[in-house]
Amino acid sequence: MRKIVITSGKGGVGKTTITATLGRTLAKQGFKVVLIDGDVGLNNLDVVTGVESRIVYDIGDVLAGRCRPYQALVLDSESSMRILPSSVNSEDVSSQAFRGVVDSMQGMFDFLLIDCPAGIEHGFHRAVSSASEAIVVTTPSASAIRDADKVFRLLSTYNLKSTSLVVNMLRHDLVSRGEMLSPFEIAKLLHTTLVGAIPDDDVITVYQQLGKAPDFAPSRKAFEALVKNVVQGTFEVEPKRKRRWWR
């Protein structure tokens, strides 16, 4: 089982949306996937996936011994993916306890994705210490890139098999005019490997409020390229679409 933490230095870069859509795309391709919300107290993964009304147990119940980990998993409405919701209780959860829950999933799934809290506080270290791989999400803004650099520096202190980058909310029109850094330039600045470049997509923004990820979203091909890179270990980013002369 591959344990991947999806993290970011700055909030609002679309990290949870990337986690949910990546998980769904993997599941639709036949992989067994579980998502774990590592943001204790500020959980949003259940809202983005639209399963909040069907939660019976959460990770707090698992840690308290009120249920087994598998009993707390909620089936996604859009795919075969499972979600382990975070606890609404903001009491501190130790890294060791969280790691025990993650390791209990061993053998049941192909991919375990951890939605890491934004920032570099205790929640970050708790989530990263339970994973073997890390994907950092950033946007092309200067502040987000700077924060991503801090995250990569911290990740280098962990014994991770790999760390990589996803650039989200990309505007190809601004890149072509030189008004925005390209994802390759951002990866070069951060001295890391680029595995995904997701365009700014209003469809995803609207539909995530309903817990859905429509197949007609403009970013669909970019997510498929991201999944291919994650699964196969390749680094092919979905190229910019060519604009027709009549547009």
Side-chain angles (χ1 to χ4, degrees):
M1 179 177 70
R2 293 179 60 182
K3 298 177 289 185
I4 307 174
V5 61
I6 291 90
T7 183
S8 66
K10 185 178 179 63
V13 299
K15 170 181 54 61
T16 300
T17 301
I18 293 287
T19 305
T21 311
L22 173 59
R24 278 176 171 158
T25 309
L26 283 166
K28 289 178 179 180
Q29 293 189 8
F31 293 100
K32 296 179 180 179
V33 183
V34 60
L35 268 56
I36 297 183
D37 193 341
D39 198 350
V40 179
L42 294 174
N43 47 311
N44 287 310
L45 190 59
D46 56 334
V47 177
V48 171
T49 54
V51 302
E52 71 275 14
S53 63
R54 294 190 282 116
I55 295 175
V56 178
Y57 298 112
D58 56 34
I59 195 170
D61 296 307
V62 175
L63 294 173
R66 289 187 286 269
C67 70
R68 296 180 179 180
Y70 195 80
Q71 291 176 302
L73 298 182
V74 183
L75 179 64
D76 180 36
S77 59
E78 296 287 305
S79 68
S80 61
M81 177 179 71
R82 305 272 177 171
I83 299 104
L84 177 58
S86 178
S87 174
V88 295
N89 193 336
S90 59
E91 66 180 79
D92 189 39
V93 176
S94 68
S95 297
Q96 184 178 2
F98 188 82
R99 193 181 310 117
V101 175
V102 170
D103 291 341
S104 69
M105 305 286 180
Q106 189 70 40
M108 293 191 291
F109 299 96
D110 301 312
F111 287 89
L112 184 148
L113 307 181
I114 304 172
D115 184 28
C116 181
I120 53 176
E121 304 302 325
H122 174 66
F124 167 85
H125 295 284
R126 178 178 58 220
V128 174
S129 65
S130 303
S132 55
E133 303 173 56
I135 295 175
V136 179
V137 179
T138 187
T139 61
S141 71
S143 59
I145 295 171
R146 183 182 62 182
D147 289 345
D149 183 55
K150 295 176 183 177
V151 170
F152 276 112
R153 292 177 188 275
L154 281 175
L155 291 175
S156 66
T157 64
Y158 286 85
N159 187 27
L160 296 171
K161 293 179 181 178
S162 67
T163 58
S164 53
L165 175 71
V166 170
V167 178
N168 193 28
M169 303 180 187
L170 189 66
R171 289 277 305 274
H172 288 301
D173 57 331
L174 297 181
V175 172
S176 63
R177 296 201 300 265
E179 298 174 5
M180 177 180 285
L181 289 175
S182 74
F184 303 101
E185 290 172 326
I186 295 171
K188 187 175 180 179
L189 281 173
L190 296 175
H191 307 285
T192 190
T193 302
L194 180 70
V195 292
I198 312 300
D200 196 12
D201 190 344
D202 291 336
V203 174
I204 290 290
T205 302
V206 171
Y207 273 79
Q208 74 170 1
Q209 301 177 50
L210 305 174
K212 298 181 179 180
D215 292 333
F216 58 82
S219 59
R220 179 178 59 85
K221 288 187 177 180
F223 274 107
E224 290 175 351
L226 170 60
V227 166
K228 179 183 177 182
N229 291 335
V230 170
V231 172
Q232 300 182 7
T234 53
F235 311 106
E236 300 176 7
V237 178
E238 210 262 323
K240 181 182 73 171
R241 296 180 180 178
K242 296 181 178 178
R243 294 181 63 86
R244 304 298 182 184
W245 63 270
W246 57 81
R247 292 184 180 179

